[in-house]
Amino acid sequence: MTTTLTPGTLVVTISETVTLNGQEANSQNTLTLSNNIAEAYKRILTVPASGEITIYTTHDTAVAGAQLDDDLIKYARITNKDDTNYVSVRVTDANADEFVYKLNAGESFLLHSHDTSMSACDTADAGAANANIVSVEAQANTADCDCEVFVASI
């Protein structure tokens, strides 16, 4: 298949501003993924309190819809758009290791590369990431929550 899509540049800027005792303690960091982002997956979905749902999965070759290519993901963000309730985000790797992160109201959770980027076993050493992230799921705690998902791939 021939494409007319021209890859673009993703710029992610994280900015913190705070004044403590009259002194600014501000910070800004920018990540630029230059001219190679070819796919963007974005949606707002309702995460139920009644049970866990799959936000997206990954695979090396069987890629379609919300199943993305784990080798090509460069950036992923999940934002809890609720103003009260938290969402539990579960990330699972190819070794069936997993961790759960509590994403409070209004907070965002960032992931970058999904290729051999995770290890969550009880005895994981720093730098021991050895498996691809294969799925990201979520469940709201008390009431359904809207979450925004954005994933950029090359």
Side-chain angles (χ1 to χ4, degrees), residues 66-142:
Q67 184 154 302
L68 310 173
D69 190 325
D70 55 10
D71 297 328
L72 302 181
I73 293 173
K74 295 301 175 191
Y75 174 83
R77 175 186 49 80
I78 300 166
T79 300
N80 180 355
K81 303 298 275 184
D82 200 82
D83 62 0
T84 306
N85 300 297
Y86 72 84
V87 171
S88 294
V89 177
R90 178 185 314 275
V91 181
T92 306
D93 73 12
N95 295 329
D97 296 329
E98 57 188 21
F99 68 87
V100 176
Y101 187 82
K102 181 180 177 181
L103 190 59
N104 288 309
E107 293 181 345
S108 293
F109 179 72
L110 305 179
L111 292 165
H112 294 273
S113 175
H114 285 39
D115 185 33
T116 60
S117 61
M118 184 182 152
S119 181
C121 56
D122 290 341
T123 60
D125 294 323
N130 62 2
N132 295 352
I133 294 172
V134 296
S135 66
V136 178
E137 295 92 17
Q139 181 174 355
N141 75 311
T142 303

